[in-house]
Amino acid sequence: MRSDTIKKGLHRTPHRTLLRACGVTDEDMERPFIGIANSFTEIVPGHLHLKSVAEAVKTGINNAGGVAFEFNTMAICDGIAMNHEGMRYSLASREIVADTVESMAMAHQFDGLVMIPTCDKIVPGMLMAAARLDIPSIVVTGGPMLPGEFKGKSVDLIDVYEAVGAVSSGKMSEEDIYELERCACPGPGSCAGLFTANTMACITEAIGMSLPYCATTHAVASKKIRLARQSGEKILELIDKNITPSKIMTQKAFENAIAVDMALGGSSNTTLHIPAIAYELVDSGVVVNLDLFDDLSKKIPHITSISPSGLHSMLDLDKAGGIPGVLKVLESKLNMNVLTCTGKSLKENIANSSVLDETVIRPLEDPIHTQGGIAVLKGNLAPKGSVIKQGAVDQDMMKHEGPAKVYNSEEECVTAIFRGEVIEGDVVVIRYEGPKGGPGMREMLNPTSAISGMEIKSVALITDGRFSGGTRGPCIGHISPEAMVGGPIAAVNNGDIIKIDISNRILELKLSDEEIEKRIKNAIKPERKVKGSLARYMKLVTSADEGAVLR
């Protein structure tokens, strides 16, 4: 056993005495040591309940003959960090989570890992660590929050963000938004729509790193506790069979995960996180880039319509058959013989699965859209690519051409929107918000929600930053190269005409190459005074089209 490194032989006597201080017995010394990476915290709704999930995991580990050691990682709530300096730390925290899990597992020589994440950056961070370590690992995602109810209608966090714009434009009363505020997020779990946290949970299950139905089983459901206990038991089997993440997260498994992402119409943030996980497995021959996303988008139809793209919630998806139901519909388009954390193939896992509500999980013959939920646009404004959640764009905005309104930060843009500066037909440009420029590639949920809530029609928004998984509409993010490293978005001036053609994957600034090059040379970059972890991140982070990994 790997843990024998810290518990066997004369020279490990000092190590054993420290283990005994933790309550480890002679019998325990003969058993596998399992690390439990728990992202519990009291300020993130998605993580409030994870103590009970961890206790269930421990029960499973102990019953199966292992010894459980729980440790914690950080966790940032993107909703609370939104639209202020704190959001600069969100994406950067993904690397800290990965480094924490790696450090704890290597320092203490765990034989296996059970990882318990819920929210946006914590799920991919833990998967990055699992791939990097390549020791037997399994993930128990914490589960979605139940939807709230406001005046007989299901609501979630995004309804609250959009309500701010509605109140500002006189379309909603302050009394109503106060009532909405009190009911939209009724308890523990990741916000109730198909935002980044729930999308990444679905990806985790689809790629084979969590048990079937884990992604959509809600935070407050007793089934979540049962799945946690089963996962604790399963890690001992994975150790016994030496089933490691590199044997599960293969190239074909990544293609399956992206296909499910396309079918669900999930968060555009997956184009950052999935390549970042794959980057840890490059020595195993895994290659994931934006071109792969776009290729699969053209082959996989969009078959669910979950908030913010539609009216259904994660609860509806769970009742309709969960991810196994989605996999069943896509079976003919997937690699079904890949290995999963159950020790069985994906085909075996879903053998008895079915779709229970075809209005939620549509058949291939009757999709919501014939293409997947995400499109990758390129052109002289985004030579290395940009990303849009095309499944959440109205048909009349699939093509748009309009004058640019340019802002050098999210704050500038939000102020302008509430002042009435943004009008119908505009293309709002927010730049210097990329991985280096932000730094931290902040999510632009406030400007998009303000535009939606104020019902400003026919407005597109483009940025070298990124968008919340809760964003809907013609919002193009991840423009690469970013402005801070001399990308063409730095050349845009107010009034320049920008052409967007989503169906043909085009994002174009109507200027000559010579004029763009001249303007880039003369562009004045804002000075970002950052210190500590953000300064380090700013120096090391790569472009969004590469997953914003550190090098």
Side-chain angles (χ1 to χ4, degrees):
M1 286 187 292
R2 179 181 151 96
S3 59
D4 286 351
T5 306
I6 62 168
K7 64 187 183 185
K8 293 290 185 180
L10 174 64
H11 295 289
R12 293 298 179 256
T13 304
H15 304 65
R16 288 195 298 275
T17 198
L18 291 168
L19 290 168
R20 292 184 192 282
C22 298
V24 176
T25 67
D26 285 342
E27 291 77 14
D28 291 338
M29 296 291 185
E30 303 302 319
R31 297 171 181 166
F33 281 9
I34 313 299
I36 301 174
N38 188 357
S39 55
F40 165 78
T41 173
E42 292 184 339
I43 197 170
V44 184
H47 300 245
L48 286 173
H49 62 302
L50 295 187
K51 281 186 177 180
S52 60
V53 174
E55 288 303 315
V57 169
K58 288 177 192 176
T59 299
I61 290 171
N62 293 335
N63 286 351
V67 184
F69 296 93
E70 182 183 354
F71 63 93
N72 286 92
T73 71
M74 65 174 297
I76 286 176
C77 177
D78 280 17
I80 296 173
M82 197 73 67
N83 195 227
H84 58 82
E85 287 300 302
M87 180 46 75
R88 301 192 193 284
Y89 290 84
S90 173
L91 183 58
S93 74
R94 184 187 71 184
E95 319 309 308
I96 297 172
V97 170
D99 291 349
T100 300
V101 175
E102 175 198 0
S103 299
M104 290 295 289
M106 291 301 294
H108 303 105
Q109 292 292 290
F110 294 130
D111 297 298
L113 282 172
V114 181
M115 295 172 285
I116 311 175
T118 301
C119 290
D120 302 42
K121 311 309 165 300
I122 300 90
V123 177
M126 288 195 181
L127 285 171
M128 288 164 68
R132 189 182 300 171
L133 291 160
D134 203 29
I135 62 174
S137 303
I138 193 168
V139 181
V140 185
T141 49
M145 180 187 293
L146 290 172
E149 186 174 317
F150 176 68
K151 296 187 174 182
K153 173 190 167 189
S154 287
V155 290
D156 54 45
L157 177 65
I158 303 308
D159 292 285
V160 184
Y161 270 99
E162 293 186 358
V164 174
V167 171
S168 300
S169 60
K171 294 179 171 63
M172 187 178 195
S173 70
E174 291 189 6
E175 290 77 15
D176 275 353
I177 196 174
Y178 179 63
E179 183 184 341
L180 178 62
E181 171 192 333
R182 291 166 65 85
C183 67
C185 294
S190 46
C191 299
L194 191 62
F195 315 140
T196 306
N198 286 324
T199 302
M200 285 308 304
C202 294
I203 294 297
T204 304
E205 184 178 328
I207 209 168
M209 286 295 291
S210 62
L211 295 180
Y213 301 101
C214 186
T216 60
T217 297
H218 279 52
V220 296
S222 61
K223 185 178 178 182
K224 180 62 67 180
I225 299 301
R226 295 196 297 274
L227 284 166
R229 184 168 173 171
Q230 290 164 8
S231 298
E233 295 169 351
K234 184 61 67 173
I235 190 64
L236 275 299
E237 180 184 331
L238 296 178
I239 292 169
D240 184 58
K241 295 179 178 178
N242 193 30
I243 297 176
T244 65
S246 66
K247 295 174 182 176
I248 295 172
M249 293 193 287
T250 61
Q251 181 71 31
K252 289 182 177 181
F254 273 98
E255 290 170 8
N256 287 346
I258 296 171
V260 169
D261 187 19
M262 294 302 121
L264 292 171
S267 167
S268 58
N269 281 315
T270 58
T271 62
L272 288 171
H273 298 323
I274 297 176
I277 299 162
Y279 176 73
E280 303 290 346
L281 291 160
V282 66
D283 290 342
S284 299
V286 175
V287 178
V288 173
N289 52 34
L290 290 183
D291 290 338
L292 179 58
F293 277 84
D294 205 43
D295 288 345
L296 288 169
S297 179
K298 293 171 183 176
K299 299 172 183 175
I300 305 294
H302 178 204
I303 60 172
T304 72
S305 186
I306 302 166
S307 174
S309 303
L311 297 177
H312 293 136
S313 68
M314 289 299 294
L315 186 61
D316 296 316
L317 179 60
D318 187 51
K319 290 178 178 177
I323 297 307
V326 174
L327 292 167
K328 197 74 171 180
V329 172
L330 298 176
E331 189 169 3
S332 62
K333 296 180 176 291
L334 300 179
N335 306 295
M336 298 306 297
N337 292 320
V338 293
L339 182 65
T340 72
C341 68
T342 64
K344 300 177 181 178
S345 70
L346 191 64
K347 186 178 184 67
E348 291 173 302
N349 284 354
I350 68 166
N352 298 316
S353 303
S354 61
V355 174
L356 305 177
D357 186 345
E358 289 193 347
T359 66
V360 177
I361 303 174
R362 305 268 281 268
L364 288 179
E365 303 76 32
D366 184 29
I368 295 153
H369 300 106
T370 56
Q371 291 192 354
I374 290 174
V376 176
L377 312 187
K378 293 185 178 180
N380 68 353
L381 193 49
K384 291 188 177 181
S386 62
V387 178
I388 185 167
K389 190 194 293 187
Q390 66 173 345
V393 180
D394 290 339
Q395 190 59 40
D396 61 357
M397 285 298 290
M398 293 294 283
K399 287 187 178 182
H400 181 74
E401 197 168 301
K405 288 276 178 71
V406 184
Y407 306 96
N408 286 341
S409 72
E410 180 190 8
E411 288 85 353
E412 283 183 29
C413 179
V414 171
T415 300
I417 292 168
F418 285 121
R419 282 179 180 167
E421 293 178 19
V422 174
I423 61 174
E424 293 192 8
D426 283 345
V427 178
V428 176
V429 178
I430 307 177
R431 64 190 176 194
Y432 298 106
E433 288 284 9
K436 284 186 181 293
M441 203 179 181
R442 291 190 291 178
E443 290 186 341
M444 304 291 143
L445 180 57
N446 273 57
T448 60
S449 297
I451 289 168
S452 295
M454 295 171 75
E455 297 182 12
I456 308 171
K457 307 294 184 185
S458 304
V459 173
L461 198 154
I462 68 173
T463 181
D464 54 5
R466 61 195 176 93
F467 293 109
S468 161
T471 295
R472 58 189 174 95
C475 302
I476 303 167
H478 307 203
I479 289 179
S480 301
E482 62 176 294
M484 191 60 91
V485 299
I489 191 173
V492 184
N493 289 341
N494 283 323
D496 289 343
I497 302 301
I498 293 174
K499 176 185 176 182
I500 299 167
D501 185 342
I502 298 171
S503 298
N504 290 305
R505 306 307 205 252
I506 294 171
L507 180 61
E508 186 173 274
L509 176 60
K510 293 212 156 181
L511 292 176
S512 68
D513 291 344
E514 292 76 17
E515 178 64 17
I516 291 173
E517 191 172 330
K518 182 177 79 173
R519 289 191 189 180
I520 289 172
K521 287 180 180 178
N522 294 325
I524 300 173
K525 298 175 183 178
E527 186 180 354
R528 301 294 196 213
K529 293 182 179 180
V530 294
K531 57 186 179 180
S533 63
L534 276 185
R536 182 170 62 246
Y537 184 83
M538 194 175 187
K539 288 180 181 179
L540 299 177
V541 71
T542 61
S543 180
D545 65 292
E546 298 178 39
V549 297
L550 302 187
R551 289 206 182 112

